[in-house]
Amino acid sequence: MQLTPLPAFNDNYLWLWHNSSHAVVVDPGDGEVVMQALARLQLHLDAILVTHHHADHTGGVNLLRQATQAVVYGPAGENIPGPCVALSGGDHFDWQGQRIEVMDVPGHTAGHIAYFVPDPDTSPELAGGNGPVLFCGDTLFSGGCGRLFEGTAAQMLNSLDRLAALPGATRVCCAHEYTLSNLRFALAVEPANAELLAYHDRCLQLRAQNQPTLPSTLTQELAINPFLRSRQASVVQAVQQRSPSASDEVAVFAQLREWKNQF
Ligand SMILES: [Zn+2]
Ligand SMILES: [Zn+2]
């Protein structure tokens, strides 16, 4: 199986997960971009996985369904262009012998879900890396997390905690290339984090060559992402310098998110 990020709009990635003949696409905001990739790679689209209702994640669903008869999967708690297989946390389904698990990750939107593939086929001739695969939409970004449009800080912290508990080798397939701007903020929070400094250098080089910084890995994110590190002393101290009243972990996380909003 291979992971191919298709750039769309300013900074979206529409993730194509495929073998040599069949594909699924995650959050196809732009159907034409996906149709062009399917033609170029000679793939049949079997399924469309939607993480949440925002237009930049769903705008191409109807075009793709009509053109390919792909089955659409999406969150039960949100309004996705139907007909759609409605999913919630704990559900799972199979595609090409791969088990795909569903997690509830509210925060960015109220019904946001993520898709986790614990044991993807990594046959050598098709290897696109090793380790489980996570399609997390706008919940977790490299170096950051989604804005709280519909959920609370407590919900987002809980969602990120459950993502952080997945295996470290998990390949994190985020829906936006926000990495460099996230890392500028992360460096303001943790200026002495050596792994963060090294990762920032690597990502600068990748973007200078117009390469995606994704997928990241969970191990990498745990070392550099302030929103997965909000209980670390360095992050707590940085937040409390700006917001001395932030005492418990939810308040620290909420003030960290607010700091990023204003950064
Ligand atoms: Zn969104
Ligand atoms: Zn988005």
Side-chain angles (χ1 to χ4, degrees), residues 52 54 56-57 108 138:
H52 69 293
H54 286 159
D56 62 314
H57 298 249
H108 176 68
D138 286 355

Side-chain angles (χ1 to χ4, degrees), residues 3-225:
L3 285 166
T4 304
L6 308 176
F9 309 119
N10 284 334
D11 51 34
N12 285 69
Y13 289 129
L14 321 181
W15 285 95
L16 206 58
W17 185 42
H18 59 98
N19 59 21
S20 58
S21 53
H22 289 264
V24 302
V25 69
V26 184
D27 286 351
D30 185 332
E32 291 294 343
V33 167
V34 179
M35 289 302 293
Q36 285 164 19
L38 294 173
R40 186 174 71 246
L41 299 167
Q42 298 198 303
L43 298 172
H44 180 264
L45 187 68
D46 294 332
I48 298 168
L49 314 186
V50 175
T51 64
H52 69 293
H53 67 86
H54 286 159
D56 62 314
H57 298 249
T58 58
V61 166
N62 283 334
L63 183 153
L64 290 172
R65 182 193 355 242
Q66 279 156 23
T68 68
Q69 278 77 54
V71 178
V72 180
Y73 296 86
E78 298 197 352
N79 193 13
I80 305 300
C84 167
V85 180
L87 300 169
S88 352
D91 288 342
H92 64 88
F93 56 99
D94 282 350
W95 171 71
Q96 295 281 317
Q98 317 277 301
R99 179 185 167 96
I100 302 175
E101 300 178 353
V102 179
M103 300 172 71
D104 283 323
V105 286
H108 176 68
T109 61
H112 200 304
I113 59 174
Y115 298 89
F116 179 62
V117 188
D119 188 23
D121 172 12
T122 50
S123 40
E125 67 273 23
L126 294 172
N130 292 307
V133 176
L134 174 69
F135 298 111
C136 50
D138 286 355
T139 297
L140 175 63
F141 297 119
S142 184
C145 76
R147 284 177 183 266
L148 301 176
F149 285 126
E150 298 172 11
T152 65
Q155 285 177 319
M156 182 59 106
L157 179 59
N158 183 263
S159 294
L160 293 178
D161 281 346
R162 282 177 298 106
L163 295 181
L166 295 173
T170 298
R171 287 170 285 171
V172 181
C173 301
C174 319
H176 291 271
E177 179 63 67
Y178 288 159
T179 309
L180 286 183
S181 66
N182 285 338
L183 295 182
R184 279 192 292 278
F185 174 71
L187 284 165
V189 179
E190 286 192 290
N193 180 334
E195 283 204 57
L196 174 57
L197 288 160
Y199 182 62
H200 184 231
D201 282 347
R202 287 203 300 282
C203 291
L204 279 173
Q205 285 171 21
L206 285 168
R207 294 310 293 150
Q209 294 158 13
N210 208 24
Q211 296 293 311
T213 59
L214 302 168
S216 182
T217 66
L218 214 42
T219 297
Q220 180 72 71
E221 294 308 308
L222 289 167
I224 61 95
N225 188 325

